[in-house]
Amino acid sequence: MILLHTSPVRRRRLGVATAAAGLLATLLMAGPAAATPDPGDRGAARTGVSAAQEAEAAAAIRNGEIPGVDEIVHSSNITHLANVPKDALKGTNTDLAFQGKYAFAGNYDGFRIFDISDPRSPRTVSQVLCPGSQNDISVSGNLLFLSTDSSRSDNSCTSTTQPATEKSSWEGMKIFDISDKRNPKYVAAVETACGSHTHTLVPERKNVYVYVSSYSPSATFPDCQPPHDGISVIKVPRNAPEKAAVVNFPVLFPDGGNPGAPDNPGVSRTTGCHDITVLPSKDLAAGACMGDGLLFSIKDPENPKIIDRVQDNVNFAFWHSATFNQTTDKVVFTDELGGGGAATCNEEIGPKRGANGIYDIVGRGDHRKLVFRSYFKIDRPQADTEVCVAHNGSIIPVKGRDLMVQAWYQGGVSVWDFTDSSKPKEIGYFERGPVTTDAVTTAGPWSAYYYNGYIYSNDIAKGFDVLKLDDRRTDPAQRVRLDELNVQTQPEYFGR
C-alpha cells in the first residue's frame, strides 16, 4: 500500500441518431459478456463513432440542443458548489461512502478521503494507492472495506494483473483501519469466489457482515467455478478484523436463475448478483442479480432467505442495483443496459429499456410480493458519443414523499420523485456536455448520493462534485443528519 498525501438550459430533444437502430440491435442480442464488460485495471473506454454520428453531435451543440463539450448545465434548483479533479489516482472513479465530516471515494487505483466539513471547499485528507477494480467502497466505525474484482497476482496493494486462469491469482475483499484518516492501514484480506464486484455491509455491534456480490464464472477459472448461484457472506469481528472469514455461501438461485439467451434474448444469464441493498432496521434486502430481482429476509444475516423473485424479460437487460423507499413498500431496480459502455439515452432506445423499474412491495412477512408499477428514465437524450446508463443513487429523506437522486453517467445527476409509483417524474438535474464528439467515452457520475444536506457525486473522469439542491419538495431533508452513510446499507432516517 502506498499512501499519497496530497447555467440552466432548456430541455433538449435530439433527433434519432443514424446509427441508433444498429446500436439497439446490438444491445438486444448482447449476452452477459457484452452487457457487463470488466475494465480490469484499464481506464475509461473510448470507441470510435461514424462521421454521421460525429456530425450530428456537433450540430446538436451548435443548435443548442445539447450542452457543448464539457459545458455544465443544470436545473434552476441545483447549484454546483465544487469540483475536485483527480489527483494521484488516475483510474476510473467509482463509489462513495460517508462518515461524519468525511467522504470516501473509490477509484480503480485505490481510494481517496475528503474532508467535507466545508462542502464548498472539500479538502483531500489522504490518497491510498491500491489497484484492483472496481474498488467498491464502504465504511463502518474504524473499518473501511474495498472490493477487488480483477484478477491479481496477490492480495497486496502492490499486486499486478494476472490471468484468472492461474490458481495463484487473487480477488476478494480488502479491509483497512481508518482510525487515522491521514494514514489508513491495510489490516486484512479475504478471498471470495469470483472476486468482489460490489459488497454490502450488515453492521452489528460486535461484527460486520459483508455480502459479496460477484458473477460470470468459467470452467477455466480455478477460483470462480460454475454454477455461481449465490453470494459470499464474510464475518468481520470489529476488534479483530484480521480474523475476517467467509462463513457461508447461500444459494439464491437453486434453479440456476434467469437462463438468458436464447430463451430470453437480450437478457443477461444469472450467474450471481451485481449488487445488494439492505435495510437492517427492517431485516430486509433487495438483490439486483443480472437477470433477476430479489426480495429477501436478512433476519439471520448469515442465512438470508428469499421472499420473492421477479424478472423483466421484455425491457431489462441487466439488473444492476436496488433502492428501497423509506417506508419499505417500494423498491427501485436499475437496468444497466449496455454495461456502462454504450449510449442508450436516445429516442431509438426509448423510455423503457435502460430505465429504472419501480416495484411496489405488497403483502406481509414472507408472503410479500414485488409488483411492477412503472419505468423511469431521464428524458434528456444524450449524443451518441455519450455513454448514458441508470446507475447508483440514494433516497432523499423527506417524510411522506419518495425522492431519489441518481447518477446516469454522461446523462448526469437526476433528482426525481416516485411518490406515485405509477407516475415518476424528474424534478432537477445536473450534467456536463459530451467529453468529446469523435468517440464514445465512458464518463460522467458513477454515484450521486444525498448526505447531510448536499448531493455528492463521483464523476468517472472529472472528479468529485458537490451540489446544493434548493427545492421546497426536498428542503425538509436538510434537517436529517447522519453519522455514517453507506448507501447500500440504507439507514432508518426517521424515528431514530
Side-chain angles (χ1 to χ4, degrees):
M1 181 185 76
I2 300 176
L3 185 67
L4 303 163
H5 289 292
T6 58
S7 59
V9 297
R10 62 182 174 84
R11 292 277 178 173
R12 303 174 298 282
R13 302 300 298 177
L14 243 64
V16 178
T18 56
L23 171 63
L24 177 59
T26 301
L27 294 173
L28 289 173
M29 295 302 294
T36 57
D38 179 8
D41 300 312
R42 292 178 283 119
R46 289 172 59 95
T47 58
V49 297
S50 69
Q53 288 172 297
E54 183 176 356
E56 183 186 40
I61 291 172
R62 286 196 306 271
N63 296 335
E65 295 171 338
I66 64 173
V69 172
D70 286 340
E71 180 187 0
I72 291 176
V73 297
H74 53 81
S75 54
S76 60
N77 56 356
I78 288 180
T79 304
H80 187 209
L81 298 182
N83 171 262
V84 184
K86 291 180 183 179
D87 188 13
L89 305 178
K90 303 299 185 183
T92 297
N93 281 334
T94 61
D95 213 359
L96 293 168
F98 305 89
Q99 187 180 83
K101 66 177 185 178
Y102 298 102
F104 304 81
N107 179 285
Y108 272 53
D109 288 339
F111 64 93
R112 188 174 183 179
I113 302 178
F114 294 98
D115 182 333
I116 55 172
S117 53
D118 179 0
R120 294 179 178 274
S121 184
R123 295 186 299 104
T124 299
V125 176
S126 58
Q127 300 180 75
V128 174
L129 179 64
C130 195
S133 69
Q134 55 186 10
N135 279 340
D136 192 45
I137 193 167
S138 59
V139 295
S140 183
N142 288 329
L143 300 178
L144 179 146
F145 300 83
L146 208 62
S147 286
T148 300
D149 193 35
S150 59
S151 187
R152 311 295 299 179
S153 57
D154 56 52
N155 65 6
S156 74
C157 284
T158 57
S159 67
T160 57
T161 57
Q162 182 168 291
T165 53
E166 294 189 22
K167 176 61 179 172
S168 62
S169 295
W170 185 92
E171 299 180 62
M173 289 297 309
K174 294 169 181 161
I175 305 171
F176 293 77
D177 183 326
I178 53 168
S179 52
D180 180 356
K181 304 296 188 295
R182 293 188 57 81
N183 188 31
K185 295 180 179 179
Y186 184 13
V187 296
V190 180
E191 187 170 16
T192 55
C194 300
S196 174
H197 193 71
T198 66
H199 68 269
T200 304
L201 304 187
V202 184
E204 296 187 339
R205 181 172 297 178
K206 294 183 178 180
N207 304 298
V208 180
Y209 286 97
V210 186
Y211 289 168
V212 176
S213 296
S214 55
Y215 53 93
S216 295
S218 170
T220 65
F221 299 163
D223 299 320
C224 183
Q225 291 283 300
H228 184 70
D229 47 15
I231 58 173
S232 297
V233 179
I234 299 174
K235 183 178 181 180
V236 185
R238 289 189 184 274
N239 294 331
E242 68 279 2
K243 295 181 180 179
V246 175
V247 293
N248 197 11
F249 187 87
V251 173
L252 304 180
F253 304 98
D255 65 351
N258 197 318
D263 293 350
N264 299 315
V267 179
S268 292
R269 181 169 67 93
T270 298
T271 59
C273 289
H274 180 277
D275 213 335
I276 291 169
T277 293
V278 298
L279 215 170
S281 64
K282 306 294 185 182
D283 292 327
L284 203 61
C289 301
M290 304 183 72
D292 294 88
L294 297 180
L295 184 70
F296 54 99
S297 168
I298 57 169
K299 192 170 185 178
D300 177 356
E302 289 189 21
N303 297 281
K305 178 182 177 182
I306 301 300
I307 296 174
D308 195 25
R309 171 181 160 194
V310 291
Q311 296 178 354
D312 180 345
N313 295 320
V314 176
N315 289 311
F316 260 48
F318 186 87
W319 296 67
H320 174 273
S321 54
T323 303
F324 289 106
N325 70 333
Q326 189 54 46
T327 53
T328 329
D329 58 6
K330 299 173 190 172
V331 61
V332 175
F333 289 102
T334 68
D335 175 22
E336 194 180 39
L337 177 66
T344 65
C345 297
N346 54 48
E347 292 181 11
E348 183 67 21
I349 299 297
K352 294 182 179 180
R353 290 189 58 77
N356 297 320
I358 304 166
Y359 287 75
D360 285 352
I361 302 173
V362 300
R364 295 185 178 183
D366 291 348
H367 299 289
R368 283 173 285 191
K369 297 292 182 182
L370 292 166
V371 178
F372 174 77
R373 294 302 185 203
S374 67
Y375 297 105
F376 171 77
K377 188 175 182 180
I378 59 172
D379 64 353
R380 294 172 283 107
Q382 311 295 304
D384 271 4
T385 59
E386 295 183 279
V387 170
C388 178
V389 66
H391 223 243
N392 296 349
S394 75
I395 290 297
I396 300 175
V398 175
K399 283 186 177 181
R401 302 189 75 96
D402 294 323
L403 303 165
M404 188 170 174
V405 58
Q406 184 179 5
W408 285 81
Y409 276 28
Q410 288 191 76
V413 174
S414 175
V415 179
W416 58 290
D417 186 329
F418 62 106
T419 305
D420 182 342
S421 53
S422 295
K423 296 180 180 179
K425 59 182 179 179
E426 185 173 75
I427 62 174
Y429 68 92
F430 167 91
E431 68 168 286
R432 290 179 170 90
V435 172
T436 179
T437 60
D438 62 6
V440 178
T441 305
T442 299
W446 178 290
S447 302
Y449 298 146
Y450 188 92
Y451 176 69
N452 290 354
Y454 296 88
I455 293 171
Y456 297 91
S457 170
N458 210 17
D459 189 291
I460 290 167
K462 298 299 182 181
F464 183 68
D465 286 307
V466 185
L467 310 177
K468 187 69 170 69
L469 175 63
D470 292 297
D471 190 292
R472 58 179 178 77
R473 293 162 291 191
T474 60
D475 286 348
Q478 297 180 33
R479 297 192 291 268
V480 177
R481 313 299 290 182
L482 299 177
D483 297 324
E484 189 172 273
L485 177 64
N486 301 293
V487 168
Q488 288 74 34
T489 305
Q490 283 191 228
E492 180 70 58
Y493 287 103
F494 307 111
R496 293 182 299 126

